[in-house]
Amino acid sequence: ADGTKAEITQKRLARIDLFADVEPEALSTLCGLFTSRLVPEKTAIFKKGDAADRFCIIADGMVEVLPYAEGETRFKRMLLDTGDFFGELALLDDVPRSATVLTRTPTLLLELRRDHFHTMMDVSPALRERIKRAARGRRDEASGH
Ligand code: CMP
């Protein structure tokens, strides 16, 4: 991958934890919706406050989540790596991005457009619950609970 979008296979999706127990029919629907993209290191995937257009899974690499605005000096930051996902909060809540996400290494992303994210949530209840549970924890952390 050289930054151009490429289709991904069902086998590839099945290797990602998030999809561990997703039904094969649902997986086959999903693999047609994702595209992959290689992002160089130290690159902003999106910034806090941006409008949300997609959901991302880290197929290979590491990103840093910075919940504060540019110029703020809080030290809180989270690292996400291979198999983790991000970008669900703004899509679920229909609000701007809650954090800036930067690549720490060259990172291969699997991406879903906004409308396809909602398709994914409809296709597998188990997957929907898993994503919503993660979102709840992240929101609580953001509000200091
Ligand atoms: P979103 O708000 O769309 O964009 C920024 C993303 O950073 C957010 O979705 C989450 O996926 C992720 N994020 C926010 N807070 C946390 C957290 N506490 N831990 C891990 N990831 C987070």
Side-chain angles (χ1 to χ4, degrees):
D2 58 0
T4 58
K5 296 195 168 183
E7 292 214 342
I8 60 153
T9 64
Q10 189 164 340
K11 236 174 142 180
R12 167 126 225 187
L13 273 196
R15 284 202 300 266
I16 296 170
D17 269 2
L18 179 62
F19 300 110
D21 49 14
V22 173
E23 310 75 8
E25 314 83 71
L27 259 196
S28 109
T29 303
L30 291 176
C31 71
L33 305 182
F34 278 93
T35 52
S36 70
R37 185 164 69 99
L38 184 63
V39 182
E41 68 178 327
K42 296 177 185 157
T43 303
I45 296 166
F46 50 70
K47 293 193 171 168
K48 178 170 174 155
D50 282 355
D53 56 353
R54 64 203 196 278
F55 170 75
C56 305
I57 298 173
I58 304 172
D60 190 20
M62 184 180 284
V63 306
E64 185 171 29
V65 176
L66 304 165
Y68 46 84
E70 245 170 288
E72 276 182 58
T73 53
R74 289 165 57 195
F75 289 114
K76 184 175 164 155
R77 56 183 58 191
M78 277 78 61
L79 292 177
L80 300 177
D81 62 22
T82 302
D84 288 332
F85 62 85
F86 60 90
E88 79 292 353
L89 282 183
L91 293 174
L92 287 171
D93 298 348
D94 204 15
V95 294
R97 295 298 191 191
S98 64
T100 294
V101 179
L102 291 173
T103 54
R104 288 280 292 251
T105 63
T107 297
L108 184 64
L109 291 180
L110 304 183
E111 298 184 305
L112 262 192
R113 271 170 24 199
R114 181 187 193 100
D115 54 332
H116 289 158
F117 173 77
H118 293 294
T119 303
M120 174 177 74
M121 299 295 273
D122 290 339
V123 152
S124 167
L127 191 54
R128 178 171 65 231
E129 284 319 304
R130 192 168 303 158
I131 291 170
K132 285 192 163 175
R133 198 174 325 120
R136 248 181 333 261
R138 290 170 172 181
R139 269 190 220 103
D140 286 353
E141 202 168 309
S143 61
H145 292 153

